[in-house]
Amino acid sequence: MLEEKIRKNRDLFDGAEPSEGHFTRFQSKLDSLQEVAPGRKSWHQSRLFRVAAVIVVLLGLSVAYYLVDPSENANHLTASTLPLEIQEARMYYDKLAEDKLQKINNCAASTSEASYIQKVVIDEITLLDSSSVKLEEQLQNDGQNPRLINALIRNYKTKSDLLDDILIRLCHI
């Protein structure tokens, strides 16, 4: 029934053509919607956005690594049974390390440089942290051994000095 009505009145449906210039106006409107000002990129195409995205990803991976790393969790359990002055020294040097790592991530200029530096820093810190855990375990067994206490604090300081060296080389501070 509907088809029959359309066939009978086909001339009414096919007769009206768009006015002169309709297609060019329509095309120009479509083109203006997709245009970006000359010399200006949209926010997601800029180099700064890409660098920021890489840094955010690297920081996210670092945080995930530190949250999941079992040696780090054992490290916190061991630290709670250490003498108070060792706990305070550890908290101080850990806070310093966090601040310096943040500065290192901010100074890394290129994505390849940032990822390489991040890998080297994490490897070195992991090595130093595993040494700290061993020293802390020995200190628990040997109580107030001044040589172990000095070795442990020197290990914390070495971690800080390593990050200082990287900061100086990378950021030219």
Side-chain angles (χ1 to χ4, degrees):
M1 181 163 145
L2 181 62
E3 281 185 43
E4 187 178 319
K5 191 165 193 149
I6 292 173
R7 283 190 194 135
K8 285 183 182 178
N9 297 315
R10 185 176 181 118
D11 294 340
L12 295 174
F13 291 117
D14 289 338
E17 282 291 319
S19 62
E20 190 68 33
H22 170 75
F23 292 115
T24 55
R25 286 191 309 271
F26 187 71
Q27 186 63 43
S28 68
K29 286 181 181 181
L30 284 176
D31 291 341
S32 69
L33 289 175
Q34 295 177 356
E35 255 182 33
V36 176
R40 202 172 153 214
K41 295 180 181 176
S42 62
W43 65 272
H44 65 277
Q45 292 176 330
S46 72
R47 181 180 170 102
L48 180 63
F49 177 75
R50 291 178 185 170
V51 170
V54 168
I55 289 173
V56 166
V57 168
L58 289 175
L59 286 174
L61 289 174
S62 299
V63 167
Y65 175 78
Y66 286 116
L67 291 176
V68 175
D69 186 22
S71 67
E72 187 71 21
N73 292 337
N75 207 2
H76 287 295
L77 291 174
T78 308
S80 64
T81 59
L82 293 172
L84 183 61
E85 56 269 2
I86 298 295
Q87 289 181 23
E88 289 173 354
R90 179 173 194 191
M91 286 184 347
Y92 170 75
Y93 283 112
D94 282 349
K95 179 64 176 147
L96 268 177
E98 284 180 37
D99 294 343
K100 290 174 186 178
L101 280 172
Q102 183 63 37
K103 288 179 185 176
I104 288 170
N105 287 331
N106 291 340
C107 287
S110 70
T111 57
S112 61
E113 180 183 31
S115 63
Y116 175 74
I117 289 170
Q118 188 77 16
K119 181 184 178 304
V120 168
V121 168
I122 287 175
D123 290 346
E124 290 298 319
I125 288 176
T126 303
L127 182 64
L128 287 169
D129 284 345
S130 67
S131 298
S132 294
V133 169
K134 290 176 187 173
L135 287 170
E136 289 169 355
E137 289 171 355
Q138 289 176 0
L139 186 62
Q140 284 181 340
N141 295 335
D142 198 4
Q144 295 295 323
N145 186 338
R147 292 177 72 195
L148 284 175
I149 291 172
N150 288 336
L152 188 57
I153 291 175
R154 197 175 10 214
N155 197 358
Y156 295 152
K157 184 157 177 22
T158 301
K159 181 176 166 181
S160 178
D161 292 343
L162 169 75
L163 293 173
D164 279 336
D165 186 44
I166 292 171
L167 263 173
I168 289 168
R169 290 178 188 212
L170 182 63
C171 300
H172 308 292
I173 295 175

